[in-house]
Amino acid sequence: MPAASRFRTYLALGPANLARVAIYRAGLKLGVHPVLRLRGEAPAGPFFAHPADGPGSAQPIARQTWRDEMLYFGYHRFACDGPPDWHANPFRPGVRADPAAHWSAIPDFDPAVGDIKTVWEASRFDWLIAMAQRAALGDGGELERLNAWLADWVGNNPPYLGANWKCGQEASIRVMHLALAALLLGQVATPQPSLRRLVRTHLARIAPTMSYAIGQQNNHGTSEAAALFVGGSWLASLGDGDGHRWAATGRKWLEQRARALIVPDGTFSQYSVVYHRMMLDTYAFAETWRAMLGLDGFSDGLLGRLRAATEWLRQLVDPGSGDAPNLGANDGARILALTDASYRDFRPSLQWACALFHGRRCLPAGPWDQQLCWLGLSPPDEALPGPASASLDDGGLHVLRRGAARAYLRYPRFRFRPSQCDVLHLDLWLGERNVLRDGGTFSYNGTPEDLAYFSGVASHNTVQFDGREQMPRLGRFLFGSWPRAEGVRLVTPSDDGCGAAAGYRDHRGARHFRSVELGNGRLVCRDTLGGTAKRAVIRWRLEPGDWQLQGRRVTCGGCEIAVESDGSPVELCLVEGSESRFYLQRDRLPVLEVRVPVPAVVETRVSF
């Protein structure tokens, strides 16, 4: 990659952000960063007493997960008859991270340990919430179990040793879950001294590396700001002087991150449905906590960005299944879960955010209302109208609707670093069916082949020129030469549907312009290919099923996909691809490849 292009990429990341990251890493390497001076003692339990008043709403239902098995990334289940090994990778039996090493000495990507997220997952304390719910409903055995697991975690993770202290965001998720458990058990005002010390130990770890979190320009900043605000205001209410300082820092960055990372149309910096949910849940909990403690309100600017972010998520969630397009990075994150809804069911988060930031419901009454019930919030009576077709142009997403059919076209409005080569990816939904679909992520520490595939162009419904990626890779999580959108046509209604379009030119001069029309029983996608490229492959990643290829069309389950060109020779092949709807899980699916010379105009018509 030319030095000039590399420089432009780094400039787009922001000199201040690069400086924050560089200073942090240099400080650790030289042994002079303030976080390295932290010392602490592990508090002794118990951490929670018998519950006081339970949730304020009637008839709550407790989660049933984390009884006799561990749940990882919302999908993988491992048997357990006691606390897990907090330093183990359960996907690789016998493999453990070093529990005695200082966290700063533990590498991010250690091939001997594997994906560090497998070590972190149980230490996010999702189990704490499920056990606290059951204890709040009178199950004394669950309270004993909860305290035993917490005591075991504290005993095996002394401050600040081992992998579970390595990441400020991981510590922040634990703080939010500890606070939520105290809320569920009615012990916010009267926490056990050991719980106060545990929260304090975590905030002391988070605060010194806040600048690094901000430099990431992602959910690290929002999560760590929320933990400082929630945990700090909690300690301040109990008379802890440091709590005021931590709470003020958290509030400052919650406000600033909302302005900086959520663009006016609601798009979040990570261009990811899963990370968008995590950010929105984080802010929803901060607002719920603020109101519960009677603290000063957040600014109108913050609340406005969160209303927009809520609308963005509402555009993508299917109300019948709760599922959403698998757009962007998908690392298995789900925090603050108070229902047994599937990991891929976004409705509890969406109903919570709509109630807080719109003052209205977006879904009828259902199990997702348990999220509000446990927090003592009443679902609003007034409902929002259903979402309409729209172009979310600040973040680069066309949303086309016609009856039960929805099409999503991504295009490059990159204010923040893209994590996947998904420019002009097209997702198609027919009610709850995701007919044309995205590939997901699988793992951040997989094989080079898996990393290249799932973040690369082959994992998306778009065009690949000359066998290369849409953007050159500069690092594990960084692409260069970010494309810019050309010829954008916002969603426009017509008599029998709606249409939209966008295009781009890549760093080597290849051009792709895609127009999409969605009408009654049909989707028409027209791809105009040109520029310096010689060959192109258009991929359509299909829902699993018995797709049959006959000539220039494939059929399955009442859907037919037909391909035509402007006279250019076209070759169609049905091949096998992979998708990952859950972290560290993969399935096979059929992929229709349309191979053409460049230049060409190719029309793909989906009939349903």
Side-chain angles (χ1 to χ4, degrees):
M1 180 178 178
S5 297
R6 185 181 294 269
F7 175 77
R8 285 194 295 271
T9 301
Y10 291 138
L11 191 63
L13 293 173
N17 298 317
L18 294 175
R20 290 177 184 276
V21 173
I23 291 170
Y24 167 78
R25 290 177 175 168
L28 291 186
K29 186 174 182 179
L30 297 173
V32 298
H33 196 288
V35 73
L36 299 178
R37 295 196 291 270
L38 288 177
R39 299 292 183 271
E41 294 184 3
F47 297 90
F48 289 94
H50 286 284
D53 294 335
S57 197
Q59 297 182 332
I61 300 172
R63 288 173 58 192
Q64 297 305 305
T65 52
W66 293 98
R67 283 193 180 274
D68 55 4
E69 59 185 8
M70 302 181 290
L71 180 64
Y72 277 55
F73 309 119
Y75 180 82
H76 306 278
R77 298 177 185 273
F78 300 94
C80 71
D81 56 5
D85 181 340
W86 307 107
H87 302 281
N89 174 353
F91 295 82
R92 295 172 61 179
V95 172
R96 306 178 79 236
D98 184 354
H102 190 271
W103 65 260
S104 61
I106 297 174
D108 292 333
F109 301 100
D110 184 349
V113 174
D115 195 326
I116 198 170
K117 285 177 59 61
T118 64
V119 177
W120 288 344
E121 182 70 2
S123 291
R124 288 188 162 189
F125 290 3
D126 178 61
W127 49 267
L128 177 66
I129 305 307
M131 294 180 192
Q133 286 179 302
R134 297 193 286 264
L137 296 183
D139 189 337
E142 283 297 275
L143 180 68
E144 293 179 8
R145 188 164 172 250
L146 177 158
N147 277 314
W149 280 43
L150 266 180
D152 191 76
W153 188 91
V154 170
N156 285 283
N157 291 274
Y160 293 95
L161 303 179
N164 291 314
W165 288 105
K166 181 172 180 58
C167 178
Q169 178 169 237
E170 298 304 312
S172 298
I173 293 170
R174 288 196 290 273
V175 168
M176 287 187 277
H177 283 161
L178 288 167
L180 178 55
L183 188 158
L184 298 175
L185 294 169
Q187 295 172 31
V188 172
T190 57
Q192 296 289 95
S194 54
L195 178 57
R196 292 175 57 177
R197 288 197 296 272
L198 184 58
V199 170
R200 203 178 200 288
T201 301
H202 277 75
L203 297 183
R205 163 64 185 89
I206 298 163
T209 57
M210 191 68 204
S211 180
Y212 173 71
I214 298 305
Q216 298 296 301
Q217 292 285 87
N218 60 16
N219 59 345
H220 283 247
T222 56
S223 300
E224 294 177 42
L228 289 174
F229 173 74
V230 169
S233 61
W234 189 7
L235 295 182
S237 72
L238 301 170
D240 188 318
D242 287 333
H244 293 283
R245 173 170 54 86
W246 285 326
T249 299
R251 179 186 285 270
K252 166 192 167 182
W253 286 115
L254 283 172
E255 291 278 359
Q256 197 276 343
R257 294 292 82 187
R259 295 193 305 271
L261 302 184
I262 305 171
V263 299
D265 69 10
T267 304
F268 183 52
S269 65
Q270 291 180 276
Y271 308 113
S272 157
V273 180
V274 168
Y275 281 142
H276 193 103
R277 171 175 63 182
M278 184 176 183
M279 173 276 296
L280 200 55
D281 283 344
T282 300
Y283 272 103
F285 186 59
E287 170 59 13
T288 301
W289 185 267
R290 180 209 64 77
M292 183 190 66
L293 289 190
L295 304 175
D296 291 342
F298 291 115
S299 70
D300 290 342
L302 177 146
L303 296 174
R305 290 299 169 96
L306 293 176
R307 280 191 291 272
T310 302
E311 278 300 293
W312 188 95
L313 186 61
R314 196 161 76 100
Q315 281 283 6
L316 279 89
V317 173
D318 170 58
S321 65
D323 204 351
N326 201 15
L327 301 182
N330 178 357
D331 76 336
R334 181 176 58 166
I335 62 173
L336 303 160
L338 291 166
T339 78
D340 271 329
S342 164
Y343 163 81
R344 294 203 58 88
D345 187 343
F346 292 78
R347 289 173 294 188
S349 297
L350 187 57
Q351 191 83 314
W352 186 17
C354 282
L356 288 179
F357 305 125
H358 282 290
R360 291 188 281 178
R361 63 165 58 247
C362 61
L363 297 162
W368 39 87
D369 286 335
Q370 285 292 314
Q371 192 82 11
L372 301 174
C373 177
W374 278 103
L375 295 167
L377 303 173
S378 299
D381 294 327
E382 186 179 358
L384 288 166
S389 298
S391 289
L392 305 173
D393 191 52
D394 295 318
L397 181 66
H398 293 316
V399 183
L400 296 83
R401 298 175 177 274
R402 187 67 173 179
R406 306 181 305 283
Y408 300 90
L409 177 63
R410 300 200 77 161
Y411 57 98
R413 296 290 198 204
F414 294 135
R415 303 187 187 191
F416 310 95
R417 56 178 174 172
S419 65
Q420 296 191 344
C421 288
D422 60 353
V423 178
L424 299 189
H425 167 83
L426 181 63
D427 233 66
L428 175 64
W429 289 67
L430 305 178
E432 299 181 14
R433 293 175 59 193
N434 187 189
V435 178
L436 304 178
R437 51 215 286 156
D438 194 295
T441 296
F442 184 61
S443 174
Y444 289 156
N445 193 18
T447 65
E449 294 76 16
D450 283 340
L451 288 170
Y453 177 80
F454 282 101
S455 64
V457 66
S459 195
H460 301 96
N461 297 324
T462 187
V463 172
Q464 182 173 26
F465 290 110
D466 293 334
R468 65 173 184 264
E469 297 295 349
Q470 294 176 326
M471 298 171 277
R473 188 183 292 276
L474 301 184
R476 186 183 294 265
F477 300 119
L478 181 62
F479 289 101
S481 298
W482 305 347
R484 296 181 179 181
E486 298 178 346
V488 174
R489 296 204 301 261
L490 303 183
V491 172
T492 304
S494 63
D495 291 341
D496 61 348
C498 56
Y504 78 101
R505 180 175 64 87
D506 77 6
H507 62 291
R508 293 191 180 179
R511 291 183 178 273
H512 178 200
F513 182 80
R514 172 166 279 183
S515 65
V516 179
E517 298 176 1
L518 181 64
N520 294 325
R522 60 172 175 78
L523 171 76
V524 179
C525 175
R526 185 172 292 105
D527 291 306
T528 302
L529 314 178
T532 58
K534 303 300 183 184
R535 303 283 305 175
V537 177
I538 306 170
R539 289 187 179 85
W540 298 111
R541 301 169 51 80
L542 309 172
E543 68 175 337
D546 185 23
W547 291 86
Q548 298 294 318
L549 174 62
Q550 296 178 327
R552 289 192 175 185
R553 65 189 62 227
V554 293
T555 57
C556 179
C559 283
E560 178 184 272
I561 301 176
V563 178
E564 300 294 339
S565 75
D566 59 351
S568 301
V570 175
E571 179 187 1
L572 271 65
C573 300
L574 260 182
V575 301
E576 187 177 71
S578 294
E579 70 171 351
S580 177
R581 288 168 45 80
F582 303 86
Y583 198 67
L584 290 178
Q585 173 267 345
R586 70 193 302 166
D587 289 314
R588 297 297 181 182
L589 83 172
V591 180
L592 176 63
E593 292 190 347
V594 182
R595 302 169 185 172
V596 294
V598 177
V601 177
V602 178
E603 182 176 284
T604 304
R605 181 180 292 265
V606 184
S607 303
F608 45 86

